[in-house]
């Protein structure tokens, strides 16, 4: 409840000073008026000044001075003040509600997990392994699922438990779905994804592999004329690798551009990173992919993105029906289990991993053995 109080003084300065001393700097003066002094002898004297001040809460360490003018009728002021600060309070209340809601959701998830744990009744030893998997970034729900499956395999087939976990993880991660070229067939591959995840750098790495290692005829197209320096960035890579770079300003232009690159083995198309919830971005991207007839789309995502954010990002790209996930920045990621979570959630194939800024290197097919080695460095048991 707000505090509303009237103060009286010889002049405005004195009254304002009283308010400041008693209620602090945050107090708001909502009304001032002149008051005639009582008694005939006071009639010609200067009137007194009365100010009404309000504060939402008394600052810490202050108390209301009993000597200041008591407010005879502050209820209407309180109503007035409460209505003006209502929106502020409502906002606070809404935030509190959101927090309560989040807390309920968390408890709900915890209860669900406890229920699941009870259902699969893991021994303390197996629970320790679940902990190890979760420390690696695998969400608890997936960790329990994996351990439960491994337990069954171990019991039925007598396979060593660690090997069973290894097999299950490898199975969930799947085989890498890398770019493969057919003889006399041109392949067009488009790279999409949020801003700054490493699309252009990765594309340059893939060009380097195909043109230098496999001697394929590779061409580059970019539609990223949005970001300053984006074309120049790619042009530098193209010049170093001695391959042509074409720029398209509108999605439809890609048809004509591709006609010029008829005899190429591989054409990689770079796109501008933008906020994936931008609707015009969707339209342009869809058009670019369909007009180009791209056989493959690689959705590039940084492995350092936390699980829930990455899920939202992937969801925002769900207007693209068929894509592979390409994870970058594994060198900066200390929770590689996240890759498994996203693979399990989307069931989309994984194409490549990148693990550094070096264009001539730092790229590999999305091998599950890389992740498994990080989880279980030695050949030993859990
Ligand atoms: N540590 C690390 N850095 C990387 C990796 N891949 C790319 N980067 C860095 O990430 C930054 C952004 O890379 P870009 O290739 O420009 O990213 P982009 O997705 O094309 O960015 P936009 O076109 O602006 O959306 C650069 O500093 C890269 O060197 C990687 O695997 N590891
Ligand atoms: Mg780029």
């Amino acid at each position: 409840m707000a505090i509303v109080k009237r103060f009286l003084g010889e002049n405005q300065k004195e009254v304002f000073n009283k308010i400041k001393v008693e209620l602090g700097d945050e107090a708001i003066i909502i009304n001032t008026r002149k008051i005639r002094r009582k008694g005939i002898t006071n009639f010609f004297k200067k009137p007194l000044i009365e100010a009404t001040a309000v504060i939402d809460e008394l600052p810490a360490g202050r108390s209301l001075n009993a000597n200041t003018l008591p407010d005879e009728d502050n209820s209407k002021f309180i109503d007035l003040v409460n209505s003006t600060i209502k929106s502020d309070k409502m906002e606070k209340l809404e935030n509190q509600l959101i927090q309560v809601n989040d807390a309920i959701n968390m408890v709900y998830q915890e209860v669900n997990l406890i229920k699941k744990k009870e259902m699969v009744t893991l021994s303390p030893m197996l629970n320790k392994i679940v902990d190890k998997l979760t420390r690696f970034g695998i969400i608890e729900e997936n960790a329990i699922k994996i351990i439960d499956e491994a337990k069954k395999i171990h019991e039925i087939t007598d396979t060593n438990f660690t090997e069973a976990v290894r097999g299950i993880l490898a199975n969930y991660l799947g085989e890498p779905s890398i770019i493969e070229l057919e003889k006399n067939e041109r392949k067009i591959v488009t790279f999409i994804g949020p801003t700054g995840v490493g699309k252009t750098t990765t594309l340059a790495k893939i060009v380097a592999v195909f043109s230098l290692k496999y001697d394929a005829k590779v061409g580059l197209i970019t539609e990223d004329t949005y970001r300053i320096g984006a074309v120049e960035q790619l042009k530098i890579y193209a010049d170093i690798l001695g391959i042509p770079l074409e720029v398209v300003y509108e999605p439809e232009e890609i048809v004509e551009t591709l006609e010029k690159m008829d005899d190429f083995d591989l054409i990689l198309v770079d796109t501008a990173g933008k906020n994936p919830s931008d609707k015009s971005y969707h339209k342009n991207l869809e058009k670019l992919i369909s007009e180009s007839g791209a056989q493959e789309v690689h959705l590039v995502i940084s492995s350092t993105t936390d699980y829930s954010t990455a899920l939202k990002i992937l969801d925002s790209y769900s207007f693209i029906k068929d894509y592979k996930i390409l994870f970058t920045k594994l060198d900066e990621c200390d929770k590689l289990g996240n890759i498994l979570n996203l693979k399990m959630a989307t069931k989309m194939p994984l194409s490549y991993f990148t693990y550094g800024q070096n264009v001539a290197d730092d790229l590999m097919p999305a091998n599950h053995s890389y992740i498994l080695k990080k989880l279980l460095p030695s050949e030993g048991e859990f």
Side-chain angles (χ1 to χ4, degrees):
M1 179 69 75
I3 296 162
V4 181
K5 198 153 183 191
R6 290 189 301 139
F7 294 79
L8 205 59
E10 291 291 332
N11 53 46
Q12 220 175 38
K13 194 172 170 200
E14 186 193 324
V15 180
F16 287 4
N17 216 21
K18 280 183 184 170
I19 295 172
K20 199 172 169 183
V21 169
E22 194 172 333
L23 300 184
D25 290 333
E26 299 292 309
I28 300 164
I29 294 154
I30 53 170
N31 190 36
T32 56
R33 62 174 177 149
K34 288 177 183 164
I35 295 183
R36 283 267 150 235
R37 300 171 199 240
K38 287 190 179 129
I40 191 83
T41 51
N42 287 331
F43 191 77
F44 294 104
K45 282 192 183 165
K46 263 176 73 186
L48 292 170
I49 300 292
E50 184 201 272
T52 308
V54 58
I55 189 149
D56 195 17
E57 248 176 279
L58 209 58
R62 285 178 202 255
S63 57
L64 283 179
N65 182 353
N67 294 331
T68 39
L69 201 67
D71 199 346
E72 297 137 359
D73 177 22
N74 67 13
S75 63
K76 60 175 182 285
F77 283 122
I78 289 179
D79 285 349
L80 174 82
V81 171
N82 277 340
S83 68
T84 54
I85 56 177
K86 205 170 171 186
S87 59
D88 210 33
K89 279 197 165 164
M90 285 296 277
E91 205 177 338
K92 268 192 202 159
L93 209 65
E94 267 172 24
N95 283 339
Q96 277 169 357
L97 271 176
I98 292 170
Q99 278 170 13
V100 170
N101 198 28
D102 283 352
I104 290 173
N105 276 339
M106 260 171 64
V107 172
Y108 182 72
Q109 277 170 13
E110 290 281 313
V111 170
N112 257 351
L113 275 175
I114 292 166
K115 266 197 211 151
K116 270 187 192 139
K117 267 191 180 172
E118 276 168 1
M119 267 160 62
V120 295
T121 50
L122 298 179
S123 67
M125 196 270 281
L126 294 187
N127 266 322
K128 253 192 186 163
I129 302 174
V130 168
D131 284 345
K132 179 162 181 174
L133 295 182
T134 52
R135 278 200 304 276
F136 189 65
I138 298 175
I139 57 168
E140 203 165 0
E141 192 180 337
N142 289 341
I144 293 171
K145 191 172 178 191
I146 290 159
I147 297 303
D148 187 35
E149 286 173 13
K151 194 173 144 221
K152 282 177 194 145
I153 292 176
H154 170 65
E155 282 162 7
I156 297 165
T157 65
D158 211 24
T159 314
N160 164 305
F161 188 78
T162 308
E163 273 319 301
V165 173
R166 228 188 263 275
I168 289 162
L169 287 173
N171 197 38
Y172 275 125
L173 285 164
E175 290 301 318
S177 177
I178 57 171
I179 300 169
E180 283 180 274
L181 300 184
E182 302 287 332
K183 249 201 163 143
N184 302 325
E185 219 176 276
R186 185 179 69 171
K187 187 159 251 181
I188 300 161
V189 183
T190 306
F191 293 78
I192 62 170
T195 54
V197 289
K199 295 179 292 298
T200 307
T201 314
T202 306
L203 185 133
K205 288 175 183 174
I206 293 175
V207 172
V209 169
F210 279 94
S211 67
L212 300 179
K213 215 164 156 189
Y214 297 121
D215 204 21
K217 192 166 181 187
V218 188
L220 284 178
I221 298 178
T222 181
E223 67 86 44
D224 187 3
T225 51
Y226 177 78
R227 187 169 60 79
I228 296 170
V231 175
E232 286 73 12
Q233 182 190 3
L234 206 50
K235 181 90 180 98
I236 292 168
Y237 293 136
D239 286 348
I240 294 170
L241 297 163
I243 57 162
L245 167 70
E246 298 284 344
V247 181
V248 294
Y249 294 87
E250 295 298 332
E252 310 81 60
E253 288 174 25
I254 200 159
V255 178
E256 211 175 301
T257 307
L258 283 169
E259 278 169 15
K260 287 191 271 179
M261 302 169 118
D262 199 29
D263 58 335
F264 281 65
D265 301 311
L266 177 64
I267 295 167
L268 301 175
V269 184
D270 194 15
T271 61
K274 278 194 196 162
N275 176 355
S277 55
D278 180 341
K279 289 280 172 260
S280 67
Y281 169 61
H282 284 198
K283 262 194 182 161
N284 269 352
L285 213 51
E286 264 183 321
K287 205 162 191 186
L288 186 83
I289 293 166
S290 63
E291 295 277 329
S292 68
Q295 291 98 332
E296 286 184 25
V297 175
H298 292 233
L299 175 43
V300 183
I301 189 157
S302 169
S303 55
T304 59
T305 316
D306 70 83
Y307 180 57
S308 61
T309 313
L311 268 188
K312 276 188 200 142
I313 292 172
L314 291 168
D315 189 50
S316 66
Y317 281 98
S318 57
F319 64 100
I320 292 169
K321 289 289 156 269
D322 198 13
Y323 61 82
K324 301 176 177 186
I325 306 178
L326 193 159
F327 282 103
T328 57
K329 309 193 185 185
L330 269 72
D331 54 313
E332 288 181 13
C333 175
D334 61 347
K335 295 256 185 279
L336 289 177
N338 203 21
I339 293 177
L340 178 92
N341 297 330
L342 292 165
K343 167 72 187 162
M344 284 172 84
T346 62
K347 303 194 173 55
M348 289 299 191
L350 308 184
S351 62
Y352 295 93
F353 293 152
T354 78
Y355 48 94
Q357 294 173 292
N358 191 352
V359 169
D361 214 337
D362 300 345
L363 170 90
M364 66 176 150
N367 280 322
H368 47 67
S369 56
Y370 179 85
I371 304 216
L372 290 180
K373 263 191 206 136
K374 296 273 175 187
L375 175 65
L376 287 162
S378 64
E379 289 299 305
E381 308 272 313
F382 267 111

